Amino acid sequence: MVAPDAAAASLAAYRAAAAQDPRFAPHALDALERGPALGEGGMGQVVVAKDRRLGREAALKVIQPDLVDPTVIRRFEREAEVMARLEHPAIPPLYEAGTDARGQRYLLMRKVAGEPLSLVLRRLRAPAGVRAARMPDVLDALARVAEAVAYAHGVGIIHRDLKPQNVMLGRWGEAMVLDWGLARRHDEDAPTQDPGLTREGETIGTPGYMPPEQARGNPVGPPADVFALGAILCEVLTGHLPVEGATAVNRLLATIDGRIARPRDLRRDTPPELDSLAAAALALDPAARPTAAAFAADLRAFLRGEPLAAHHYGRRERLVRSARRRAGALLLALAVTALVGGAAAVTLRARGAQAAAEEGARLAAEARDALQRAMDLLAEADVLVARGAPARDVLGRVDAALAEGRTRFVLWAAAGVCLRTEQADRARDLLVESVDRFPPGLRELGLLHRLASSGLAGADTTVWLERLLAARAAGVRDALTCYAVGVDAGVRGDWRAAERAAGEALELDPRLAWAWELRAGARLHLGDPDGAEADATRALELEPWLPSAWQNRATARLRLGRVEGAVADLDRVIGLAPTRPEAFTSRGNAYVHLNDPTRALQDYDRALNLAPGHPGAWKGRGVALARLERRDEALEAFTRAIEADPDDADAWRNRAVLRDRLGDPAGAREDLDRTLALRPDDAAALELRGVARAVAGDLAGAEADWTRALEIDRSRANCWSNRGHARLLRGDPRAALADCDRAVALAPDSPDARYNRAQARLALEDLPGARADLERFVEVAPTHPKAANARAQLERLRMSR
Amino acid sequence: MPGRTLVTLAIDDLVRELERLPEEGFVEAARDVVHGRVLAPRSLEPYQFFSTRHYTRNLIFKNDLFELLALCWEPGQQSSVHNHRGQQCWMMMGLGRLENLNFRVHDRDEVARTCRLEPTSVIEITRDQAMSVDPDEPVHLIRNVEAWGERALSVHLYSRPFDTCEVYCPERGIYMDVQLSYWSTHGRPCAPGR
């Protein structure tokens, strides 16, 4: 950092030099009428300026008058020098650079009427704005930007801060690359060339758009700009940056780590060719990236429906491309129209002539709109779900998209979103609507549900559904059809039927992994964890990439007490589907079983990062924290679990136990009442409430709770002992003795049972029996609060003898 | 570093050596004490307190001249972007390794308390390489890289002690003073806010 005194002196020197510098000769800024601000940065402000002499509007960029950092001033001058060197239709021309009478530096340049690409991208993600800004227009604009950048590279300039905010889309379709304030010549690596401004190791840019070499502070060249173009393309295609992170620092760290996603990682329906182009631009190795010119050329090729240099075409893709060319359809403007292209080609073949072509184009446009809306919906839902937004917000987007038009694609997408937010019933309704409105109908709702919950929804879903439709239409009873029937049964909760149908499918085709996995799930629901584990294992032998099969086997193993095996399975689930909060929660539960609350806590936290309102994760977190004696935090966690799912009796009961331990018996009692309202047959809760009632002096109520608990579960030794004690206090020593006998039979070394039975025996004057129980009591619990009393009783018994 | 001799010493011995240094010339002498030394991990066990929520600051020793802290990092944990108020700082690794990211501050406005940060370098801190905070660019961030998958413990020597630091928020372009607290002092966990 520059010391203020030195900086002021340096500034004075610069101002003195500026007076001699013809490029920055004093100029009467009075001739300019300043208008509203166009933007503001760290260095200064950009305002609209009307030149009264020439009667034109321009953009005036001024440096803040009180800024004393000479580096800033030098950078401002650098921007003027760079812009003066650049003459390109996509780079705003510099009209003038100068210093006003107060010594304030300014740049006067062409004002671009339009809006920044960042704003357009925001609208692209909003369903209502889809019509206003079309993807091909944006891709065309990005091609222009890349061409401008290629031109700048050609004259030795790198921009270093390309991002949507610095791209202005004009009213007439022009695209302008703005803010060249951080640009420099790419032969300027040596610090001596520009001391204080471009030192070795300096990196400038915006995390998310800057490449790893820039983030690490290494020298950068033209490939840095190409990386930024790739990042912008990724954002255009998916609505997301290729670098994950909620903050600039986290995006910077992800960049340094090389955690760069490609578009298809973020959105499955990204056109493969554009995915390849973005991935090439986002290569970690700068030398592996295409030039900006090649990037622009590939974008243009895509828009013309021609092959891209960055994409490797498989045989099938080549055939499809060839067929489309023969059909004369120019529907390749977007790869997202692949489905549309197929439909249009059919129409064209059937009718021929221009009318057919027009009809095909209309159908294509309609279908593309519908598909686009569906994609936007999913993209928005992705963002909302990732941010842990409440389900109602996500469903608000669903409603908005449906209001745009309830087409088949939109209905599918909406159903997919509903599935992700665990609104299975709503999803089912939407799919049923799709079936009813768009014959021949997609009766295989269960299959879609299955695929979506396996993280496999997407293009594959369509293939499977169509295959099923064909099979059903032909009356085929094949394995897949049986499987679909089974899944449908499972969705309806008829697990017996699901197990049967899965079995039929496996008789027809024992290699159908999904059927093994379906039967494993059914058997879990039917209380057969052994069978479930065996079936899931078979599924995984055939298809080891099925996360649901790993999950089912883990659940089975947890129930069978094979916790370490369950953890290993859950590791695989997380490896295959790292965004599933359920998997982290299950593994956390397993770690609790393994008495490792610290690791459990980590998993619950990860689950909550993915789904901040996940009730199971909050509940598990509460358990782990309670194990770690962090009771206040545990209390908060259980409260969050209850808020997330007020019908979770376990969460109420857990909080009751904690409140009791924290000295809040009234709160504990309230929670137990809620537990038992939700689950009247919860023996543990009844036992706990009995204790609470007894402590409050309500012995009759306590006895009633314990009696009910023992009707449900006769193996609860403490419950027998407690009830025995209550009965003794209520004056019925015989009944008390009977209860305590049961307690001691169940838990011979239970101190409470021994002590309570001793009291009952004393009341019945069975002195030897009482002595034996008291002696055993002080032996097993010498520090028990009642031990002193027991010893005194023993002494009296000895004396009476 | 080939040819360099490293000396292992226990943390208590390091404290004793630092305590013996005179006030005048302390910074230079402390640098000589720290460089070329490797800390014995067992001697740091009393100061190992890991938290899943955040890295922990554990006080080992403090007097008017210097403060010695053990910072414990789970994989994936990181500090905020911060400075050291112009104090000297050295870091030594007791366990694992860390990554240090340096930043340069641009357009700092002392009145509005705004600034702009630019990353300038990334340095890995290992057990055999003590690290000094660059006095010219003292704004930095430290993290235990998640992919490394191991815990880390770093020992930080500050001269002089300080109990607040400037924390930078690149997202909003602002910086602010933050009160520092300990997770434990002299091997005993302390109440929040201490």
Side-chain angles (χ1 to χ4, degrees), chain A residues 1 41-43 64 66-67 69 71-72 75 182 197 199-205 210 214-218 246-254 256-257 259 598-599 601-602 605-606 621 630 633, chain B residues 50-53 74-75 78-81 83 99 101-110 116-123 135-139 141 143 145-147 151 166 168-171 183:
Chain A
M1 195 177 2
M43 287 197 298
Q64 284 179 3
D66 52 350
L67 255 178
D69 188 342
T71 310
V72 175
R75 193 174 294 140
L182 302 178
L197 186 60
R199 276 191 294 171
E200 178 80 26
E202 182 180 21
T203 60
I204 292 180
M210 67 164 66
Q214 197 171 1
R216 287 185 163 273
N218 296 332
T247 66
V249 167
N250 285 341
R251 287 193 292 278
L252 181 77
L253 297 176
I256 289 171
D257 293 344
R259 285 183 274 129
T598 303
R599 295 182 80 172
L601 201 54
Q602 288 175 352
D605 284 348
R606 286 174 185 148
R621 189 161 197 278
R630 290 159 62 181
E633 291 173 75
Chain B
F50 288 89
S51 164
T52 54
R53 309 290 285 179
E74 291 282 6
Q78 67 192 52
S79 72
S80 53
V81 182
N83 75 1
E99 194 171 76
L101 278 74
N102 288 321
F103 294 85
R104 185 175 303 150
V105 177
H106 295 284
D107 312 337
R108 183 185 170 101
D109 185 329
E110 296 280 3
R116 209 160 53 85
L117 292 177
E118 305 295 351
T120 53
S121 59
V122 181
I123 298 165
D136 290 331
E137 285 177 7
V139 177
L141 171 155
R143 66 166 175 158
V145 178
E146 186 157 27
R151 286 176 160 181
E166 272 179 9
Y168 297 79
C169 177
E171 205 68 15
W183 184 274

Side-chain angles (χ1 to χ4, degrees), chain A residues 116-130:
Chain A
L117 176 59
S118 51
L119 196 65
V120 175
L121 289 182
R122 265 209 298 279
R123 268 218 311 281
L124 260 183
R125 291 197 285 270
V130 170

Side-chain angles (χ1 to χ4, degrees), chain B residues 2 9 17 21 34 40 43-44 51 59 61 79 88 91 103 109 116 130 132 139 152 163 171 173 175 184-185 189 191:
Chain B
L9 83 167
E17 283 198 39
L21 299 179
V34 168
S43 71
L44 293 163
S51 164
L59 179 68
F61 183 86
S79 72
Q88 291 287 331
M91 281 176 265
F103 294 85
D109 185 329
R116 209 160 53 85
S132 309
V139 177
D163 56 9
E171 205 68 15
Y175 62 95
S184 73
T185 56

Side-chain angles (χ1 to χ4, degrees), chain A residues 735-766:
Chain A
L737 182 61
D739 280 353
C740 291
D741 280 343
R742 293 294 298 268
V744 172
L746 287 164
D749 286 336
S750 162
D752 287 330
R754 287 282 181 178
Y755 183 86
N756 289 342
R757 191 168 74 172
Q759 305 310 310
R761 282 175 161 173
L762 282 172
L764 293 168
E765 298 186 351
D766 173 9

Side-chain angles (χ1 to χ4, degrees), chain A residues 330-489:
Chain A
L330 292 177
L331 296 170
L332 292 174
L334 280 175
V336 292
T337 57
L339 288 168
V340 175
V346 170
T347 310
L348 287 169
R349 275 197 296 276
R351 299 184 185 178
Q354 189 173 353
E358 286 172 1
E359 176 68 2
R362 189 185 65 76
L363 284 173
E366 282 181 15
R368 190 170 62 193
D369 277 357
L371 190 57
Q372 185 66 55
R373 275 198 296 277
M375 288 164 62
D376 287 332
L377 172 65
L378 284 176
E380 276 194 76
D382 275 344
V383 172
L384 290 172
V385 171
R387 287 181 184 160
R392 65 172 181 279
D393 290 354
V394 178
L395 295 177
R397 299 294 192 283
V398 172
D399 291 336
L402 292 170
E404 290 275 317
R406 303 175 83 90
T407 64
R408 176 174 157 186
F409 291 125
V410 172
L411 288 167
W412 278 16
V417 172
C418 291
L419 287 165
R420 292 195 56 198
T421 48
E422 299 180 358
Q423 304 283 323
D425 289 346
R426 180 97 195 271
R428 194 180 169 81
D429 290 346
L430 289 164
L431 289 165
V432 167
E433 182 183 337
S434 169
V435 167
D436 290 344
R437 291 183 54 193
F438 301 102
L442 304 172
R443 293 285 174 195
E444 287 69 26
L445 311 179
L447 177 62
L448 181 57
H449 173 91
R450 199 72 197 154
L451 294 172
S453 64
S454 304
L456 298 170
D460 293 346
T461 314
T462 315
V463 173
W464 282 107
L465 286 170
E466 286 174 354
R467 182 175 161 186
L468 274 170
L469 275 175
R472 280 171 63 100
V476 173
R477 179 185 165 271
D478 68 355
L480 203 57
T481 311
C482 292
Y483 165 76
V485 169
V487 175
D488 193 42

Side-chain angles (χ1 to χ4, degrees), chain A residues 544-555:
Chain A
W545 47 263
L546 277 178
S548 303
W550 291 104
Q551 177 84 50
N552 279 341
R553 196 170 74 172
T555 307

Side-chain angles (χ1 to χ4, degrees), chain A residues 91-173:
Chain A
I91 300 172
L94 180 70
Y95 293 151
E96 198 172 320
T99 308
D100 71 5
R102 293 180 300 159
Q104 186 179 25
R105 299 291 167 90
Y106 69 88
L107 303 178
L108 197 63
M109 53 198 139
R110 180 176 154 193
K111 174 175 168 282
V112 182
E115 54 189 357
L117 176 59
S118 51
L119 196 65
V120 175
L121 289 182
R122 265 209 298 279
R123 268 218 311 281
L124 260 183
R125 291 197 285 270
V130 170
R131 289 193 204 95
R134 290 265 172 257
M135 183 76 79
D137 297 338
V138 177
L139 293 176
D140 180 66
L142 187 55
R144 289 166 193 256
V145 169
E147 284 157 0
V149 171
Y151 158 78
H153 291 173
V155 297
I157 301 289
I158 45 178
H159 187 285
R160 296 200 300 172
D161 198 20
L162 286 174
K163 55 186 172 183
Q165 292 93 322
N166 287 342
V167 172
M168 186 69 86
L169 299 189
R171 193 177 297 159
W172 314 113

